[in-house]
Amino acid sequence: KSAIKYALNLKSEKAKESTYKDYEHRADVFLRWADKYYKSDLKIKDFGIDDFYEYLDYLELDYINHKTGKKLSNTSINNHKRAVSALFTNLKNKRIIDQNFIKGIPNLDSKPQKNLPFTHSQIKKIISYCETHDPYMINIIAFIMYPLLRPVEITRLKVKDLNTTDWIFGVETKTEVISFRKIIDKIKPIILNMNLENVPGEYNVFSKYDKPAMWETSKEASKSEYFSIRFKKIKKALGFGKEYGLYSFRHSAIVDLYNSMQKSGLSEREIIYKLLPITRHKSELGLRNYLRDIKLALPEDHSDIFTIDILRNVG
């Protein structure tokens, strides 16, 4: 137990709050299991792969999520495994253990639910609804679609991060690195309409108060959850199911860029290279897998290359 707590403390020094909370939760589940099955007092070097397989069996067969009352999905089990593995890697790096055997354990097969992209007509329907019922959410949607920000990145934006002289902005990523992006023309009118000139730089650009403000929370993740819950009311009113969420707008934007480039005559390889710096995927393969996963990068009409014409022979 003391070794795991030590590894968790190492994580707290480098990880963002939301990331650390995730590790903390999964370490707690692991240690409560260790208490229950008399593993807590083992020396860390005596805790072996068979012990960890017992833990995985516990997660799969016995553990019940106290919030949902349901067993864990394979994806959740893999996430628990990933978090504990990261702690063991910390211990290996500190030479407390010789190797992290968890890395060699294969993940369970899982097909996590991904948000589907919206079509153009669906986006128009949502924006039209927001104009009447929740206009502030239009700004959130715009910042997801045009700069391709994730909801959590939007909630991290401070007024001082937006440079409207050189039209660039910085956003804090998962690794606490500031990534600088160009503010494209599509998003400029929205930023100008916010009238940020006299707003303190430390204010959050977006907040639950529907204006720039200091927005303090005990958990960083609760900010993006706030807007996700707010959008959930919108999609429910419009009849969209659980397969749609705020991430759907990011997927929609990337699909739109892909299809637009395709219509302009670019080859698939040319499109991938143009998209990489925009989507910020780390590799060509990663972007290709992403486009495959969201399943809406539509090929051009290929009627002209068919040599079979059924209709000529009909009637």
Side-chain angles (χ1 to χ4, degrees):
K1 180 183 284 189
S2 61
I4 297 300
K5 288 186 174 180
Y6 170 69
L8 187 62
N9 187 53
L10 292 176
K11 279 289 179 191
S12 72
E13 296 174 2
K14 294 183 178 180
K16 291 192 69 64
E17 180 195 355
S18 56
T19 305
Y20 173 73
K21 289 292 183 183
D22 181 66
Y23 280 113
E24 187 178 45
H25 163 67
R26 298 184 197 281
D28 182 61
V29 172
F30 179 58
L31 290 178
R32 281 191 280 115
W33 166 82
D35 284 340
K36 185 175 181 179
Y37 292 96
Y38 308 104
K39 309 284 187 183
S40 293
D41 294 331
L42 284 178
K43 291 182 179 179
I44 191 66
K45 289 187 176 181
D46 293 335
F47 184 87
I49 192 168
D50 290 335
D51 296 301
F52 194 75
Y53 266 110
E54 287 181 30
Y55 176 59
L56 292 178
D57 287 343
Y58 163 77
L59 291 177
E60 186 173 4
L61 303 173
D62 299 325
Y63 182 76
I64 302 295
N65 186 307
H66 70 279
K67 290 184 178 179
T68 65
K70 297 179 180 179
K71 289 188 175 182
L72 295 180
S73 66
N74 284 1
T75 300
S76 293
I77 294 171
N78 290 338
N79 286 338
H80 278 277
K81 170 178 164 286
R82 170 190 52 75
V84 178
S85 178
L87 298 179
F88 270 64
T89 293
N90 276 357
L91 295 174
K92 176 181 178 296
N93 292 342
K94 292 295 185 180
R95 300 184 181 181
I96 293 172
I97 57 177
D98 296 326
Q99 63 170 333
N100 175 12
F101 56 80
I102 300 175
K103 273 190 172 181
I105 299 175
N107 283 337
L108 297 175
D109 289 336
S110 61
K111 293 182 179 179
Q113 172 116 21
K114 293 183 180 293
N115 289 154
L116 291 178
F118 292 113
T119 64
H120 284 197
S121 60
Q122 288 172 333
I123 292 174
K124 286 180 180 178
K125 184 178 178 181
I126 292 166
I127 298 302
S128 177
Y129 181 88
C130 287
E131 285 173 345
T132 303
H133 297 91
D134 195 348
Y136 191 68
M137 282 300 295
I138 295 175
N139 291 349
I140 299 291
I141 292 168
F143 267 77
I144 293 174
M145 292 195 67
Y146 294 134
L148 297 178
L149 295 184
R150 296 171 178 85
V152 68
E153 292 171 339
I154 288 174
T155 60
R156 288 176 187 157
L157 274 179
K158 299 290 182 69
V159 171
K160 65 182 180 181
D161 296 327
L162 299 176
N163 178 341
T164 55
T165 301
D166 302 310
W167 291 108
I168 58 173
F169 72 98
V171 61
E172 203 173 334
T173 64
K174 285 192 250 183
T175 56
E176 293 191 82
V177 175
I178 298 293
S179 172
F180 290 96
R181 322 271 172 82
K182 182 179 178 62
I183 297 175
I184 65 172
D185 290 344
K186 284 282 188 181
I187 200 74
K188 286 180 182 178
I190 291 173
I191 294 174
L192 291 173
N193 286 338
M194 290 181 178
N195 298 316
L196 300 175
E197 294 83 2
N198 299 314
V199 178
E202 289 299 322
Y203 276 23
N204 291 92
V205 174
F206 295 100
S207 76
K208 65 179 180 179
Y209 309 108
D210 287 13
K211 62 181 181 180
M214 290 296 293
W215 187 12
E216 301 294 340
T217 59
S218 58
K219 294 182 180 179
E220 184 191 48
S222 65
K223 294 180 181 179
S224 55
E225 286 170 8
Y226 168 81
F227 287 115
S228 293
I229 292 169
R230 194 158 159 173
F231 180 68
K232 194 175 289 186
K233 296 176 183 177
I234 295 168
K235 71 172 189 175
K236 184 178 179 181
L238 295 173
F240 292 107
K242 63 181 180 180
E243 65 273 23
Y244 294 97
L246 283 177
Y247 265 94
S248 294
F249 292 106
R250 191 171 187 271
H251 301 335
S252 305
I254 293 173
V255 166
D256 184 68
L257 291 171
Y258 182 99
N259 289 333
S260 178
M261 291 182 195
Q262 189 179 62
K263 287 176 182 176
S264 72
L266 295 181
S267 67
E268 183 189 19
R269 192 169 187 81
E270 288 172 323
I271 294 171
I272 293 296
Y273 281 128
K274 279 186 171 288
L275 279 178
L276 272 172
I278 299 172
T279 66
R280 304 183 308 281
H281 283 85
K282 292 182 179 178
S283 68
E284 181 181 340
L285 178 61
L287 179 53
R288 288 182 186 277
N289 288 339
Y290 169 83
L291 290 167
R292 184 195 66 222
D293 286 346
I294 61 177
K295 298 180 180 70
L296 209 67
L298 302 176
E300 284 288 276
D301 188 333
H302 52 281
S303 299
D304 58 326
I305 59 176
F306 266 117
T307 59
I308 301 170
D309 195 342
I310 293 174
L311 293 181
R312 284 183 184 173
N313 300 313
V314 173

